[in-house]
Amino acid sequence: PQFSETGIWAVRYVPLSDEAGNFVNIDLAEAGFSTELSVVSAISDTTPPELLTFSFTPTAIETSAAPATVTITLTARDDIAGIRASGMLNFDSPSKVNKVQASSVEIDRSGTPEIVTFQGTATFPQFCEPGTWLIRYVPLSDKANNFVDIDLAGAGFSTELSVVSAIVDTTPPELLTFSFTPSEIDTSDGPVIVTVTLTA
């Protein structure tokens, strides 16, 4: 991309797989191939984006009667190449077993340097685990492929969401039956389908 880091870039591996499911990661230098690319740029961007603002609303939800939605809004800027994207935003449950995700979407881009606003929606299911859920990181990347995972608490942003539910479901499903057929196949002449059946 424009404003790439200058210097020697290297391609180290080539992954290869066949239709029988065999896989190998070829070490190019070890195999004797040329791997180095020289990159020159009068202006180079090696600095990741900066998170300017971060918030979510509401900061407390109740999921006894129905799912609840939390809207996340953030702004970020980049010094040279410009913001490319944010990524998945994850709320972790108090037990750290469950996770609710929001995909951030760009809703505004303006100014010089550009300030970009992203927004995402996280839907918490009915009967989800109660307590304090945490959103810990915001991923940001720029058009020069610089990437950073912003530590929200470390940056001074509020990260806690209070979840209340009078009825709680924290028990995973139970597998009742499992089978597959046939139990023996011959793949000499081509692919073979195995049918898997389960109840839960």
Side-chain angles (χ1 to χ4, degrees), residues 51 53-56 70-75 85-92 99-105 118-124 133-140 148-150 152:
L51 181 65
T53 66
F54 172 84
S55 63
F56 55 87
V70 174
T71 300
I72 305 161
T73 305
L74 62 100
T75 60
S86 183
M88 295 303 296
L89 307 171
N90 299 316
F91 281 93
D92 294 321
K99 190 183 299 289
V100 172
Q101 293 187 321
S103 179
S104 57
V105 177
F118 295 96
Q119 199 165 79
T121 301
T123 300
F124 288 75
W133 290 59
L134 296 176
I135 181 168
R136 291 182 168 87
Y137 300 100
V138 166
L140 293 171
V148 64
D149 248 339
I150 304 292
L152 290 170

Side-chain angles (χ1 to χ4, degrees), residues 62-64 127 164-168:
E62 212 277 347
T63 62
S64 300
F127 311 131
V164 175
S165 181
I167 305 171
V168 180

Side-chain angles (χ1 to χ4, degrees), residues 156-178:
F157 295 105
S158 176
T159 63
E160 296 185 352
L161 171 72
S162 176
V163 177
V164 175
S165 181
I167 305 171
V168 180
D169 182 356
T170 57
T171 305
E174 177 187 359
L175 181 64
L176 301 177
T177 66
F178 173 85

